[in-house]
Structure formats: C-alpha cells, structure tokens
Amino acid sequence: MTFSIIGRCARTGAFGAAITTSDLAVGGRCVRLAHGKGAMLSQHRTDSRLGDLGISLLASGKNADQTVSAVCNSTNDIEWRQIGALDAKGAASVYHGRRMYSIFTHTSDKDCLALGNILANDRITRSMADAFIQDPDLPLAERLMQALEAGRDAGGEIKGPLRSAAVRVTGEHGIDAVDLRIDISEQAAIDDLRVLLNAYGKRADTLREVALAPDGIPVMRSLFDASIERIAELGLEDRFPTARNQGNWSIRD
C-alpha cells in the first residue's frame, strides 16, 4: 500500500525521496537519507530500524548490494519487508519479501529507484522512474514530486484514498533543502503535497541562511513593532528592553 522513489542529484550530491500511502504519517517511518552517501527505503509492514541500519551502512561507504544484504540478514522477519537502497554512486539494490501477497514491483534507472507494493498494476514504478529521468536539470525535489504524481496517475495503490505523502531532499551542513510532509489527508495527499511544495518555493535558501548566518537576516518590521507594542502593553520593558535597544537589530519592511 505504498509507492515511493529515492533519487540522487549527481551535480550536488543530494539524495531525496518521495513517498505516499493510504496509511498515516508515512514520511517519518519509511525514508532515510544521508547527503552524498545514499538513500534507504523500508516499507511493507515497516520496521523503521531497518532503514536506520541501512542508512548507517551507506553512510559508512557500503554499496547498495552490501547494504541490502546486511539489512536482510539482520532480522528474522525480512520476508514481510520491502527494502530498497541507492548508494553514493547511484547504484540500486532491492529485496522483496516472500510473504508479500500483492502486486509489488521496483524499477531502477539512472540515479533512482522506484519501489511499490499493494499496487493497482505492474506499471507504477516504471512510470515513476520515467518521470524522474525525464528532465535531469529540474531541482531534485521537483523530479521526485513529478515521479510521485506519475505513480498516482498510472494507477497507484489498489485501494485508496492516499492519506499521507512526503518529499525530502538533503543539503549540505546537515540541513535538508526540503522536508515536507502531509501526515493526514482526507483523500488527496499527493495533491496536498504539491500545494505545499509549490508554496515552499525557494524557502530552502532563506532557511539555510537563517541557520548558518543569522546575523545577515533582517528582522521583519511588522513583527518587531508588534513585539515592542506588546511588551509595553504588559509593562515588561525592563525585562525585554527591545525598544531602548533598537539599534541592535537590522529591520526590513
């Protein structure tokens, strides 16, 4: 009941994932990423610890085949699981547990791996990979999002509605470029995620600057003035002397 894709940007070293399911809060359970090192998917009766192990192995320099083999050997319940790895060179490896009962497929292509179970047909992951590789010049988050939409449009899950979806892309300094999730949707998690990604826009650059160089970001005048007003209303000027020290902040309209 999950279809997903992990991908690599060869230019930046970023890894990313997009995923959706008819269950809740899929983004936090199934995806693990390490910038410049790899990406891991653990789904179908998910054990998130397998993703944790897999990404630690990829981060240590193991390739995709070595990682999937080690993850499979780490648990007695592997036949319930669906595992996928993409390593630092863009190579992919998968394991489909033998206790899976539905239509399940994977498709690997240049710098990507699409993976799915409880699918409506056997063309879903091929459609996702085709969408991902179609325009390699697009931002990685957009390529992943288009792949997720292609999987939906090709048939998606055998039963819906899709209740949660997520897209995530790594960045330098341990700061993700994108980490957006729809944890509960009435019936259109991918549509909701598209709205959120479009609204997010180029926020990644601003948020990175906030984290790495906060002195360079002016304070919004509306928030600054509202704060001074509320401090005065509550008689808290001695505790919060912002009005007396306005020169300590750079203000923007």
Side-chain angles (χ1 to χ4, degrees):
M1 56 193 292
T2 302
F3 55 98
S4 57
I5 185 165
I6 45 179
R8 168 180 174 261
C9 177
R11 295 191 310 274
T12 66
F15 280 83
I19 187 167
T20 189
T21 185
S22 56
D23 202 354
L24 305 181
V26 70
R29 295 197 309 273
C30 298
V31 172
R32 298 293 185 267
L33 306 174
H35 190 71
K37 300 295 185 179
M40 191 76 193
L41 290 168
S42 170
Q43 53 196 51
H44 194 273
R45 299 205 174 181
T46 306
D47 181 349
S48 60
R49 297 172 299 177
L50 302 183
D52 295 338
L53 173 60
I55 202 63
S56 70
L57 293 169
L58 291 169
S60 74
K62 300 294 185 184
N63 65 33
D65 285 340
Q66 292 169 329
T67 297
V68 168
S69 178
V71 168
C72 290
N73 289 332
S74 74
T75 174
N76 292 327
D77 298 318
I78 192 60
E79 302 307 336
W80 284 108
R81 320 300 187 190
Q82 189 179 44
I83 304 295
L86 191 67
D87 65 28
K89 295 182 178 180
S93 185
V94 301
Y95 185 80
H96 304 287
R98 288 175 290 185
R99 301 206 71 181
M100 295 172 61
Y101 54 84
S102 62
I103 297 172
F104 58 87
T105 65
H106 76 273
T107 303
S108 59
D109 212 306
K110 184 174 175 57
D111 290 327
C112 72
L113 170 66
L115 194 64
N117 60 76
I118 314 186
L119 300 173
N121 60 65
D122 63 354
R123 302 181 301 276
I124 309 302
T125 56
R126 180 69 264 174
S127 297
M128 296 175 74
D130 286 345
F132 181 85
I133 66 174
Q134 184 172 7
D135 189 350
D137 292 328
L138 288 174
L140 184 55
E142 180 60 28
R143 298 173 69 190
L144 293 163
M145 189 71 221
Q146 289 185 9
L148 201 64
E149 292 167 333
R152 173 201 60 196
D153 295 345
E157 279 193 27
I158 195 170
K159 292 188 72 174
L162 296 171
R163 301 294 306 280
S164 65
V167 59
R168 183 182 164 205
V169 174
T170 66
E172 294 181 339
H173 307 289
I175 302 171
D176 284 345
V178 176
D179 187 3
L180 304 177
R181 304 178 186 184
I182 303 297
D183 282 341
I184 181 169
S185 173
E186 288 300 319
Q187 59 183 4
I190 293 179
D191 290 343
D192 293 345
L193 186 61
R194 164 56 75 184
V195 171
L196 181 57
L197 180 61
N198 288 348
Y200 188 76
K202 296 182 178 180
R203 290 277 294 161
D205 294 337
T206 300
L207 295 176
R208 182 171 299 277
E209 190 173 356
V210 166
L212 299 177
D215 286 343
I217 306 294
V219 177
M220 290 180 60
R221 183 175 300 279
S222 60
L223 295 177
F224 193 80
D225 290 347
S227 296
I228 290 176
E229 182 178 349
R230 180 54 56 88
I231 289 167
E233 288 175 356
L234 299 175
L236 298 174
E237 293 94 338
D238 289 339
R239 184 177 175 188
F240 303 104
T242 306
R244 298 197 299 269
N245 300 306
Q246 294 190 39
N248 291 343
W249 290 272
S250 175
I251 311 297
R252 68 177 176 89
D253 291 325

